[in-house]
Amino acid sequence: MGRLIAPAHVLYDDEWGAEFVYRQPGDPEQALVLLGAVAQDPMVGYACAGDEHWTPELVRDWWAERGRVREWAAALDRAWSVSNQEEEREAAGGGRAYVAYIDAGLEEYLRHYLFWLSEGRPADSGAPLPHL
């Protein structure tokens, strides 16, 4: 259901079909859209406790290994874009969008997230951000 409601934020894994957020909302309107997807999840699989589990070191480790995730999403797109199932063809667009986000946008988001994890607050405009 997640991609039907929040396609710019939700993708499905190819093993179990579980939904996950690949792009955090950037404004209140996007947050409401994503919360709509959360409300429709019959498995109650979404969590809002990332700050309790992520550390700056884990974020940097994930970023260093992003090539594996990028290749997974690209392979998902290649496989699902030619599927006989309409739902998989639609979800292939999420794989493409995730690859594009990894290539342009995610690094900046993660630098802000590193600041948040380190300082416990958003970075002021123009503040130097940590490096990945």
Side-chain angles (χ1 to χ4, degrees), residues 3-132:
R3 285 198 52 79
L4 297 175
I5 298 165
H9 302 280
V10 175
L11 187 55
Y12 308 130
D13 81 24
D14 57 340
E15 187 172 353
W16 301 100
E19 301 179 6
F20 67 94
V21 176
Y22 75 89
R23 182 191 327 240
Q24 294 295 321
D27 60 41
E29 183 178 317
Q30 292 176 10
L32 284 173
V33 169
L34 185 55
L35 286 172
V38 170
Q40 295 299 314
D41 180 24
M43 304 306 288
V44 192
Y46 287 84
C48 299
D51 293 351
E52 297 172 17
H53 303 286
W54 285 99
T55 65
E57 295 77 24
L58 288 173
V59 171
R60 287 184 174 105
D61 289 348
W62 186 95
W63 182 250
E65 295 292 323
R66 70 190 176 280
R68 290 183 317 117
V69 176
R70 187 188 185 287
E71 179 49 38
W72 169 82
L76 187 84
D77 172 34
R78 288 189 301 270
W80 282 358
S81 64
V82 296
S83 173
N84 292 330
Q85 297 181 33
E86 182 179 343
E87 300 84 14
E88 287 184 352
R89 288 193 310 274
E90 186 285 323
R96 283 189 299 280
Y98 194 16
V99 168
Y101 186 48
I102 290 169
D103 291 347
L106 182 56
E107 180 178 8
E108 181 73 10
Y109 170 81
L110 290 177
R111 291 181 69 205
H112 280 273
Y113 188 51
L114 283 175
F115 188 95
W116 171 264
L117 288 173
S118 299
E119 302 295 326
R121 63 179 177 83
D124 296 329
S125 179
L129 297 173
H131 292 285
L132 287 169

